[in-house]
Coordinates of all heavy atoms in Angstrom, one line a residue:
V26 N -9.2 3.1 -4.0 CA -8.2 1.9 -4.1 C -7.9 1.5 -2.6 O -7.5 2.2 -1.8 CB -7.0 2.3 -4.8 CG1 -6.0 1.2 -4.7 CG2 -7.2 2.8 -6.2
V27 N -8.2 0.2 -2.4 CA -8.0 -0.4 -1.1 C -6.8 -1.4 -1.1 O -6.6 -2.2 -2.0 CB -9.2 -1.2 -0.6 CG1 -9.0 -1.9 0.8 CG2 -10.4 -0.3 -0.5
L28 N -5.9 -1.2 -0.1 CA -4.7 -2.1 -0.1 C -4.8 -3.0 1.1 O -5.4 -2.7 2.1 CB -3.4 -1.2 0.2 CG -3.2 -0.1 -0.9 CD1 -2.0 0.8 -0.5 CD2 -3.0 -0.7 -2.2
S29 N -4.2 -4.2 1.0 CA -4.2 -5.1 2.2 C -3.0 -6.1 2.0 O -2.5 -6.4 0.9 CB -5.5 -5.9 2.2 OG -5.6 -6.7 1.1
N30 N -2.5 -6.5 3.2 CA -1.5 -7.5 3.2 C -1.5 -8.4 4.4 O -0.6 -9.0 4.9 CB -0.1 -6.9 3.1 CG 0.2 -6.0 4.4 OD1 -0.7 -5.7 5.1 ND2 1.5 -5.8 4.6
G31 N -2.7 -8.5 5.0 CA -2.9 -9.3 6.2 C -2.5 -8.7 7.5 O -2.6 -9.3 8.5
S32 N -2.0 -7.4 7.4 CA -1.7 -6.8 8.7 C -2.8 -6.0 9.3 O -3.8 -5.9 8.6 CB -0.5 -5.9 8.4 OG -0.9 -4.7 7.6
N33 N -2.6 -5.4 10.4 CA -3.6 -4.6 11.0 C -3.6 -3.1 10.7 O -4.3 -2.4 11.3 CB -3.6 -4.8 12.6 CG -3.9 -6.2 13.0 OD1 -4.8 -6.9 12.4 ND2 -3.1 -6.7 14.0
I34 N -2.7 -2.8 9.8 CA -2.5 -1.4 9.4 C -3.8 -1.0 8.6 O -4.3 -1.8 7.8 CB -1.3 -1.2 8.6 CG1 0.0 -1.6 9.4 CG2 -1.1 0.2 8.1 CD1 1.3 -1.5 8.7
P35 N -4.3 0.3 8.7 CA -5.5 0.7 8.0 C -5.3 0.4 6.5 O -4.2 0.5 5.9 CB -5.5 2.2 8.3 CG -4.9 2.3 9.6 CD -3.8 1.3 9.7
S36 N -6.4 0.2 5.8 CA -6.4 -0.2 4.4 C -5.9 0.8 3.4 O -5.6 0.4 2.3 CB -7.8 -0.7 4.0 OG -8.7 0.4 4.1
D37 N -5.8 2.0 3.9 CA -5.2 3.0 2.9 C -3.7 3.1 3.0 O -3.1 3.9 2.4 CB -5.8 4.4 3.2 CG -5.5 4.9 4.6 OD1 -5.1 4.1 5.5 OD2 -5.6 6.1 4.9
Q38 N -3.1 2.3 3.9 CA -1.7 2.3 4.1 C -1.2 0.9 4.6 O -1.7 0.4 5.6 CB -1.3 3.4 5.1 CG 0.3 3.4 5.4 CD 0.6 4.6 6.2 OE1 0.4 5.7 5.9 NE2 1.1 4.3 7.4
I39 N -0.2 0.3 4.0 CA 0.4 -0.9 4.4 C 1.9 -0.9 4.5 O 2.5 -0.1 3.8 CB -0.1 -2.1 3.5 CG1 0.4 -1.8 2.1 CG2 -1.6 -2.3 3.6 CD1 0.1 -3.0 1.2
R40 N 2.4 -1.7 5.3 CA 3.9 -1.8 5.5 C 4.3 -3.1 4.8 O 3.8 -4.2 5.1 CB 4.3 -1.7 6.9 CG 5.9 -1.7 7.1 CD 6.3 -1.7 8.6 NE 5.8 -0.4 9.2 CZ 4.9 -0.4 10.2 NH1 4.4 -1.5 10.7 NH2 4.5 0.8 10.7
L41 N 5.2 -3.0 3.9 CA 5.7 -4.2 3.1 C 7.2 -4.5 3.5 O 8.1 -3.8 3.5 CB 5.7 -3.9 1.6 CG 4.4 -3.5 1.0 CD1 4.6 -3.2 -0.5 CD2 3.3 -4.5 1.2
D42 N 7.3 -5.8 4.0 CA 8.6 -6.4 4.3 C 9.1 -7.0 3.0 O 8.5 -7.0 2.0 CB 8.5 -7.4 5.4 CG 8.1 -6.8 6.7 OD1 8.4 -5.6 7.0 OD2 7.3 -7.4 7.4
V43 N 10.4 -7.4 3.1 CA 11.1 -8.0 1.9 C 10.3 -9.2 1.4 O 9.9 -10.1 2.1 CB 12.4 -8.5 2.3 CG1 13.2 -9.1 1.1 CG2 13.3 -7.3 2.8
N44 N 9.9 -9.2 0.1 CA 9.2 -10.2 -0.7 C 7.9 -10.5 -0.1 O 7.4 -11.6 -0.2 CB 10.1 -11.5 -0.7 CG 11.4 -11.3 -1.5 OD1 11.3 -10.7 -2.5 ND2 12.4 -12.0 -1.0
Q45 N 7.2 -9.5 0.5 CA 5.9 -9.8 1.0 C 4.8 -9.4 0.0 O 4.8 -8.3 -0.5 CB 5.7 -9.0 2.3 CG 4.4 -9.1 3.0 CD 4.2 -8.3 4.2 OE1 5.1 -7.5 4.5 NE2 3.1 -8.4 4.9
P46 N 3.9 -10.3 -0.3 CA 2.9 -10.0 -1.3 C 1.9 -9.0 -0.7 O 1.6 -8.9 0.6 CB 2.3 -11.3 -1.6 CG 2.4 -12.1 -0.4 CD 3.8 -11.7 0.2
F47 N 1.1 -8.3 -1.6 CA 0.1 -7.4 -1.1 C -1.0 -7.4 -2.2 O -0.8 -7.8 -3.3 CB 0.6 -5.9 -0.9 CG 1.1 -5.2 -2.1 CD1 0.3 -4.4 -2.8 CD2 2.3 -5.4 -2.5 CE1 0.7 -3.7 -3.9 CE2 2.8 -4.8 -3.7 CZ 2.0 -3.8 -4.4
Q48 N -2.2 -6.9 -1.8 CA -3.3 -6.9 -2.7 C -3.9 -5.5 -3.0 O -3.8 -4.7 -2.0 CB -4.5 -7.8 -2.1 CG -4.2 -9.3 -1.9 CD -3.3 -9.6 -0.8 OE1 -3.3 -9.0 0.3 NE2 -2.3 -10.5 -1.1
V49 N -4.4 -5.3 -4.2 CA -5.0 -4.0 -4.5 C -6.4 -4.3 -5.0 O -6.6 -5.2 -5.9 CB -4.1 -3.3 -5.7 CG1 -4.8 -2.0 -6.0 CG2 -2.7 -3.1 -5.2
Y50 N -7.4 -3.5 -4.5 CA -8.7 -3.8 -4.9 C -9.4 -2.5 -5.1 O -9.2 -1.5 -4.4 CB -9.5 -4.6 -3.9 CG -11.0 -4.8 -4.2 CD1 -11.3 -5.9 -4.9 CD2 -11.9 -4.0 -3.6 CE1 -12.7 -6.1 -5.2 CE2 -13.3 -4.2 -3.9 CZ -13.6 -5.2 -4.7 OH -14.9 -5.5 -5.0
S51 N -10.2 -2.4 -6.2 CA -11.0 -1.2 -6.4 C -12.4 -1.5 -7.1 O -12.4 -2.4 -7.9 CB -10.2 -0.2 -7.3 OG -11.1 0.9 -7.6
E52 N -13.5 -0.8 -6.7 CA -14.7 -1.1 -7.4 C -15.1 0.0 -8.4 O -16.1 0.0 -9.0 CB -15.8 -1.0 -6.3 CG -15.7 -2.2 -5.2 CD -16.8 -2.2 -4.3 OE1 -17.6 -1.2 -4.2 OE2 -17.0 -3.2 -3.5
S53 N -14.1 0.9 -8.6 CA -14.2 2.0 -9.6 C -13.2 2.1 -10.6 O -12.0 2.0 -10.3 CB -14.3 3.4 -8.8 OG -15.3 3.4 -7.8
Q54 N -13.6 2.2 -11.9 CA -12.6 2.3 -13.0 C -12.0 3.7 -12.8 O -12.6 4.6 -12.4 CB -13.3 2.1 -14.3 CG -13.8 0.7 -14.6 CD -14.4 0.7 -16.0 OE1 -13.7 1.0 -17.0 NE2 -15.6 0.2 -16.1
G55 N -10.8 3.8 -13.4 CA -10.1 5.1 -13.4 C -8.6 4.9 -13.2 O -8.0 3.8 -13.1
T56 N -7.9 6.0 -13.1 CA -6.5 6.0 -12.8 C -6.2 6.6 -11.4 O -6.7 7.7 -11.2 CB -5.7 6.8 -13.9 OG1 -6.0 6.2 -15.2 CG2 -4.3 6.9 -13.6
Y57 N -5.5 5.9 -10.6 CA -5.2 6.4 -9.3 C -3.7 6.2 -9.0 O -2.9 5.7 -9.9 CB -6.0 5.5 -8.3 CG -7.4 5.4 -8.6 CD1 -8.0 4.3 -9.3 CD2 -8.3 6.4 -8.2 CE1 -9.3 4.2 -9.6 CE2 -9.7 6.4 -8.5 CZ -10.1 5.3 -9.2 OH -11.5 5.2 -9.5
E58 N -3.2 6.6 -7.8 CA -1.8 6.6 -7.5 C -1.6 6.0 -6.1 O -2.4 6.2 -5.2 CB -1.2 8.0 -7.5 CG -1.0 8.6 -8.8 CD 0.0 9.8 -8.8 OE1 0.2 10.4 -7.7 OE2 0.4 10.3 -9.9
L59 N -0.5 5.2 -6.1 CA 0.0 4.7 -4.8 C 1.3 5.4 -4.5 O 2.1 5.7 -5.4 CB 0.2 3.2 -4.9 CG -1.0 2.3 -5.2 CD1 -0.6 0.8 -5.2 CD2 -2.1 2.5 -4.2
D60 N 1.5 5.6 -3.2 CA 2.6 6.4 -2.7 C 3.6 5.4 -2.1 O 3.2 4.7 -1.1 CB 2.2 7.5 -1.8 CG 3.4 8.4 -1.4 OD1 4.1 8.8 -2.3 OD2 3.4 8.9 -0.3
L61 N 4.9 5.3 -2.5 CA 5.8 4.4 -1.9 C 6.9 5.2 -1.2 O 7.6 6.0 -1.8 CB 6.4 3.5 -3.1 CG 7.3 2.3 -2.7 CD1 6.5 1.3 -2.1 CD2 8.1 1.8 -3.9
K62 N 7.1 4.8 0.1 CA 8.1 5.5 0.9 C 9.0 4.5 1.6 O 8.5 3.4 2.0 CB 7.4 6.4 2.0 CG 6.6 7.5 1.3 CD 6.0 8.4 2.4 CE 5.2 9.6 1.8 NZ 4.6 10.4 2.9
L63 N 10.2 4.9 1.7 CA 11.2 4.0 2.4 C 11.2 4.5 3.9 O 11.2 5.6 4.3 CB 12.6 4.3 1.9 CG 13.8 3.5 2.5 CD1 13.7 2.0 2.3 CD2 15.1 4.0 1.9
F64 N 11.2 3.4 4.8 CA 11.1 3.7 6.3 C 9.9 4.5 6.7 O 9.9 5.0 7.7 CB 12.4 4.3 6.8 CG 13.6 3.6 6.3 CD1 14.7 4.3 5.8 CD2 13.8 2.2 6.5 CE1 15.9 3.6 5.4 CE2 14.9 1.6 6.1 CZ 16.0 2.2 5.5
G65 N 8.9 4.6 5.8 CA 7.7 5.3 6.1 C 7.7 6.8 6.0 O 6.7 7.5 6.2
W66 N 8.9 7.4 5.5 CA 9.0 8.9 5.4 C 9.8 9.4 4.3 O 9.5 10.5 3.7 CB 9.7 9.4 6.7 CG 11.1 8.9 6.9 CD1 11.4 7.8 7.7 CD2 12.3 9.5 6.4 NE1 12.8 7.6 7.7 CE2 13.3 8.7 6.9 CE3 12.6 10.6 5.7 CZ2 14.7 8.9 6.7 CZ3 14.0 10.9 5.4 CH2 14.9 10.1 5.9
L67 N 10.7 8.5 3.6 CA 11.5 9.0 2.5 C 10.7 8.6 1.2 O 10.6 7.5 0.9 CB 12.8 8.4 2.5 CG 13.8 8.8 1.4 CD1 14.0 10.3 1.4 CD2 15.1 8.0 1.5
Q68 N 10.2 9.6 0.5 CA 9.5 9.4 -0.8 C 10.4 8.8 -1.8 O 11.5 9.3 -2.1 CB 9.0 10.8 -1.3 CG 8.3 10.7 -2.6 CD 6.9 10.0 -2.5 OE1 6.3 10.0 -1.4 NE2 6.4 9.4 -3.6

């Protein structure tokens, strides 16, 4: 699962500001997980 939002952060991790869109892309079917953290450290 690849993430992107137009930033220079690596595709496995992106920083989201208020109301900022982001994209999710995958070439493989299946069930995966995304990890959401506040300020980059609080799960």
